[in-house]
């Protein structure tokens, strides 16, 4: 009997990866099996990944250093296919709670794309040594409404005094550098938003709380507080007042990254379920013989195939520099809704075993629920997509 995996479950082979990409995939899979899988259960119990993993991954070229220009100690890999491989293989190998993508796809761009040349020369060589990165946008009261942020930074001579709270911050407990979105001039609304780099150990910067979550248990998710934190002017990302612009420039890549991970999880869930129904018997025969099972998995396979093709198109578009915010929002919305729907339907095929927390399909189900929330809730994605149809935004946050 054929055993399906995350690649053979597709009816049409993917064609966006070269031999070099696939060699990189092989190396990364070996890295995950050596350095992550043996420790994953322990990190799930602790609710945090040991920071040494980030240092090792950076050294091996799978975290941050892969996308840093060579003149700053990086590898200079510019094709997003490499980033996509990291994202999807973590899901394929049941290690989706490791957020290498947060640094690779979401935070590093603020340093490589938004910083000045002087700032890049100062920050990137340090980051290439294995610094852990985080970004702090969300707050307890605002959710996806970034324009309603309450964090403020007041200029005092050669530094800003930062005050505020940031909620749901991944890697906040172990991050060395946190890019914080705050207002330096609230009267200018989004034109008064600035990004500041807050460094671990700065007085007044604390991890106030770490949350227990439904899924993604290995990844620490924190409440960060900033009380009269003195941040040097030199730690402004790019230029003051341009933070909102930088956030908008980086959002397509961030949302595509989530879509890539979601499709990786969908393929894994589908493959493990097809294998399971072929081996599980009920009423004297494999449950794969029941038409209800066959039809459901045929439907899911078709949707996963179509979703994979669309997300692969977006990967190529990002590499070519043509991916738009609207299309990236479509990818994020479509892929995360699909991955959760696939996980739910596949869990049903597993029956009672699927409801046991330790079962692989239950972990996929729990992990995929948050994908529809972070990176901009899917309701916000639909607002953005709707704007392309001429619909008027209902509130300021629709600019996100």
């Amino acid at each position: 009997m054929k055993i399906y995996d995350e690649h053979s479950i597709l009816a049409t082979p993917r064609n966006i990866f070269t031999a070099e990409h696939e060699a990189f995939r092989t190396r990364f899979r070996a890295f995950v099996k050596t350095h992550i899988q043996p420790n994953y259960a322990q990190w799930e119990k602790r609710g945090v990944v040991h920071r040494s993993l980030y240092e090792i991954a950076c050294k091996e070229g799978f975290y941050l250093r892969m996308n840093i220009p060579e003149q700053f100690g990086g590898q200079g890999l510019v094709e997003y296919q490499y980033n996509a491989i990291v994202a999807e293989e973590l899901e394929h190998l049941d290690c989706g709670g490791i957020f290498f993508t947060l640094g690779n796809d979401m935070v590093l761009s603020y340093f490589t794309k938004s910083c000045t040349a002087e700032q890049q020369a100062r920050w990137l060589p340090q980051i290439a040594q294995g610094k852990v990165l985080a970004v702090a946008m969300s707050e307890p009261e605002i959710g996806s409404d970034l324009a309603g942020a309450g964090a403020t930074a007041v200029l005092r001579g050669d530094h800003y005094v930062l005050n505020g709270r940031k909620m749901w911050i991944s890697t906040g407990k172990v991050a060395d550098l946190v890019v914080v979105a705050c207002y330096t001039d609230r009267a200018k609304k989004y034109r008064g938003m600035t990004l500041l780099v807050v460094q671990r150990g700065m007085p007044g910067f604390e991890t106030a709380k770490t949350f227990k979550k439904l899924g993604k248990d290995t990844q620490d998710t924190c409440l960060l507080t900033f009380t009269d934190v003195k941040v040097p002017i030199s730690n402004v990302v790019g230029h003051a007042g341009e933070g909102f612009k930088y956030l908008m420039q980086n959002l397509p890549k961030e949302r595509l990254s989530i879509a890539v991970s979601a499709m990786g999880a969908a393929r894994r869930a589908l493959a493990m379920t097809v294998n399971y129904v072929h081996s599980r018997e009920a009423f004297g025969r494999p449950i794969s013989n029941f038409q209800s099972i066959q039809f459901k998995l045929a439907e899911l396979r078709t949707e996963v195939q179509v979703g994979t093709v669309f997300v692969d198109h977006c990967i190529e578009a990002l590499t070519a520099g043509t991916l738009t915010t609207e299309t990236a929002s479509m990818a994020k919305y479509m892929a995360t809704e699909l991955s959760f729907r696939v996980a739910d339907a596949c869990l049903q095929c597993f029956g009672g075993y699927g409801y046991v927390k330790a079962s692989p399909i239950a972990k996929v189900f729990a992990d995929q629920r948050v994908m529809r929330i972070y990176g901009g809730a899917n309701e916000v994605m639909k607002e953005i997509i709707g704007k392309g149809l001429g619909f008027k935004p209902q509130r300021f946050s629709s600019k996100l």
Side-chain angles (χ1 to χ4, degrees):
M1 182 179 67
K2 181 177 180 178
I3 302 298
Y4 290 89
D5 62 18
E6 299 77 14
H7 305 285
S8 61
I9 198 65
L10 297 172
T12 302
R14 303 165 75 187
N15 59 9
I16 66 168
F17 299 108
T18 66
E20 290 183 2
H21 296 143
E22 293 301 339
F24 178 87
R25 186 191 301 275
T26 299
R27 293 196 302 274
F28 183 62
R29 288 180 66 89
F31 175 88
V32 172
K33 291 176 181 179
T34 300
H35 296 285
I36 298 179
Q37 285 184 335
N39 302 302
Y40 198 77
Q42 178 185 1
W43 292 335
E44 282 186 314
K45 292 179 181 179
R46 292 178 56 211
V48 63
V49 176
H50 198 285
R51 62 180 298 107
S52 63
L53 175 66
Y54 297 99
E55 297 171 358
I56 297 170
C58 189
K59 180 180 178 181
E60 295 295 322
F62 304 121
Y63 179 67
L64 301 180
R65 195 169 70 88
M66 57 189 284
N67 297 135
I68 293 175
E70 292 181 89
Q71 66 264 37
F72 300 120
Q75 294 172 280
L77 301 179
V78 296
E79 295 177 344
Y80 186 72
Q81 280 86 336
Y82 292 104
N83 299 54
I85 287 169
V86 170
E88 64 186 28
E89 288 302 331
L90 285 170
E91 296 290 350
H92 290 168
L93 295 170
D94 198 24
C95 296
I98 304 297
F99 278 18
F100 287 165
T101 54
L102 175 66
N104 291 344
D105 300 342
M106 302 176 195
V107 191
L108 183 61
S109 294
Y110 297 116
F111 294 93
T112 58
K113 303 295 184 182
S114 305
C115 279
T116 65
E118 182 277 329
Q119 291 171 331
Q120 289 179 357
R122 178 160 58 96
W123 289 118
L124 290 178
Q126 298 180 44
I127 294 172
Q129 296 301 311
K131 296 289 185 182
V132 182
L133 304 183
V135 60
M137 290 187 277
S138 297
E139 296 185 7
E141 297 83 10
I142 65 169
S144 296
D145 185 8
L146 185 59
T152 59
V154 179
L155 185 61
R156 294 282 188 267
D158 62 352
H159 64 272
Y160 285 93
V161 178
L162 174 64
N163 283 280
R165 299 186 300 164
K166 294 293 181 178
M167 184 79 99
W168 319 125
I169 309 306
S170 299
T171 69
K173 192 172 183 177
V174 297
D176 299 297
L177 304 174
V178 182
V179 177
V180 180
C182 60
Y183 276 111
T184 50
D185 190 343
R186 187 176 295 279
K188 294 182 179 179
K189 297 185 178 179
Y190 63 90
R191 292 185 179 86
M193 185 169 287
T194 298
L195 302 184
L196 299 178
V197 179
V198 177
Q199 297 167 254
R200 169 174 293 278
M202 283 184 168
F205 169 36
E206 296 182 358
T207 301
K209 185 176 183 179
T210 302
F211 298 97
K212 292 184 178 180
K213 309 182 298 297
L214 175 66
K216 303 284 186 184
D217 292 326
T218 56
Q219 191 58 59
D220 61 291
T221 303
C222 307
L223 169 65
L224 305 182
T225 60
F226 307 90
T227 306
D228 294 330
V229 181
K230 294 182 179 179
V231 183
I233 291 178
S234 58
N235 281 30
V236 172
V237 173
H239 303 284
E242 297 191 4
F244 191 83
K245 180 182 75 173
Y246 301 146
L247 292 172
M248 296 304 102
Q249 290 171 343
N250 289 324
L251 281 178
K253 186 176 184 180
E254 174 182 345
R255 287 168 179 164
L256 176 59
S257 176
I258 296 171
V260 171
S261 294
M263 291 311 306
R267 289 189 295 270
R268 170 170 168 71
L270 182 58
M272 76 166 78
T273 304
V274 171
N275 293 332
Y276 178 77
V277 300
H278 279 303
S279 61
R280 173 77 164 88
E281 291 193 359
F283 305 104
R285 53 179 173 164
I287 63 174
S288 60
N289 287 3
F290 294 107
Q291 190 178 68
S292 60
I293 296 289
Q294 294 174 1
F295 278 15
K296 174 52 67 175
L297 293 179
E299 293 169 5
L300 296 180
R301 188 188 193 196
T302 302
E303 292 184 80
V304 169
Q305 178 71 68
V306 173
T308 297
V309 171
F310 177 53
V311 171
D312 282 356
H313 164 76
C314 292
I315 291 171
E316 292 184 308
L318 182 62
T319 295
T322 60
L323 182 66
T324 65
T325 298
E326 182 180 31
T327 304
S329 299
M330 289 179 179
K332 194 269 182 185
Y333 162 64
M334 178 280 301
T336 58
E337 294 288 338
L338 175 58
S339 67
F340 185 72
R341 190 166 65 250
V342 169
D344 182 44
C346 288
L347 188 152
Q348 186 73 16
C349 293
F350 276 78
Y353 177 62
Y355 196 63
V356 176
K357 282 188 176 181
S359 72
I361 191 62
K363 292 173 67 176
V364 174
F365 176 85
D367 283 354
Q368 289 311 293
R369 184 59 186 88
V370 74
M371 307 288 271
R372 297 155 65 192
I373 299 172
Y374 63 27
N378 280 2
E379 289 74 16
V380 176
M381 299 302 102
K382 286 186 275 190
E383 280 197 6
I384 296 170
I385 298 164
K387 283 176 63 180
L389 299 174
F391 301 144
K392 293 181 179 180
Q394 297 300 306
R395 55 196 176 104
F396 179 83
S397 64
S398 63
K399 292 181 180 293
L400 302 181

